[in-house]
């Protein structure tokens, strides 16, 4: 991603639908990564049979790796959360595949149901939690691939914390 990325120019790319691009073999812009996430989400046969649920800790699986990026599949049973963190130098796209997740940021709290997407730049601080009574599944794309996930002090009530991709 270059310094004049479409995320910096357009703000939240998901709010500017005409800028979204179909998935390319080797995505390189925010809109192309959003397109890749949408194409994987639509191909349920590619991910549904892989998902596992673990009540002791969040389950995660690297689904795909490409030049400069990684695609992760995560499951969340009720009450599981990521803890407040950022993704170091990685930007990313979060897509909810099944269920509902809650994202807490400095701007507030947002409920993310199946099909919801969030894109974020490096240094974006958030906490993701399954506050619902049903399990959830999410897809995460990081570019460059995730090498660190610094944790931050919580601003709200404590939740279950696992230091894995979120």
């Amino acid at each position: 991603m270059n310094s004049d990325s479409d995320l910096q120019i357009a703000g939240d790319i998901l709010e500017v639908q005409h800028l979204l691009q179909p998935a390319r073999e080797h995505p390189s812009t925010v809109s192309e990564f959003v397109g890749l996430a949408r194409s994987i989400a639509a191909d349920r046969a590619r991910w549904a049979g892989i998902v596992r649920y673990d009540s002791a800790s969040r389950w995660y699986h690297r689904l795909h790796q490409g030049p400069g990026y990684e695609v992760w599949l995560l499951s969340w049973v009720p009450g599981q959360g990521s803890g407040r963190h950022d993704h170091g130098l990685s930007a990313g796209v979060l897509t909810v595949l099944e269920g509902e997740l809650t994202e807490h940021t400095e701007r507030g709290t947002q409920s993310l149901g199946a099909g919801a997407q969030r894109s974020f730049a490096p240094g974006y601080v958030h906490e993701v939690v399954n506050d619902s009574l049903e399990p959830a599944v999410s897809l995460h794309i990081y570019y460059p691939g995730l090498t660190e996930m610094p944790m931050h002090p919580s601003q709200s009530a404590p939740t279950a914390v696992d230091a894995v991709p979120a």
Side-chain angles (χ1 to χ4, degrees), residues 30-50:
V30 173
S31 60
E32 290 169 352
F33 282 107
V34 167
L36 174 61
R38 287 182 177 192
S39 68
I40 293 171
D43 187 2
R44 187 174 174 78
R46 181 173 179 181
W47 56 266
I50 299 170

Side-chain angles (χ1 to χ4, degrees), residues 7 24 37 47 61 66 72 83 87 98 106-107 109 116 133 139 145 149 151-152 155 161-162 164:
L7 180 61
R24 290 185 344 167
W47 56 266
H61 171 78
W72 289 86
H87 304 95
E98 290 182 347
E106 65 182 18
R107 292 183 177 179
T109 298
L133 298 176
L139 182 78
M149 196 174 104
M151 301 304 289
H152 297 262
Q155 293 181 329
V161 177
D162 298 65
V164 297

Side-chain angles (χ1 to χ4, degrees), residues 117-142:
Q117 289 188 296
R118 301 284 295 136
S119 60
F120 49 88
Y124 178 76
V125 178
H126 69 160
E127 179 176 19
V128 180
V129 181
N130 182 350
D131 287 328
S132 76
L133 298 176
E134 300 294 327
V137 179
S138 57
L139 182 78
H140 304 248
I141 299 177
Y142 300 105

Side-chain angles (χ1 to χ4, degrees), residues 59-71:
W59 173 90
Y60 53 97
H61 171 78
R62 185 167 43 204
L63 187 62
H64 180 72
Q65 198 171 359
Y69 70 93
E70 299 175 325
V71 180

Side-chain angles (χ1 to χ4, degrees), residues 75-100:
S75 71
W76 314 69
V77 299
Q80 287 180 335
S82 65
R84 194 164 175 262
H85 67 280
D86 68 65
H87 304 95
L89 298 176
S90 299
V93 176
L94 158 68
T95 304
V96 179
L97 302 176
E98 290 182 347
E100 184 176 325

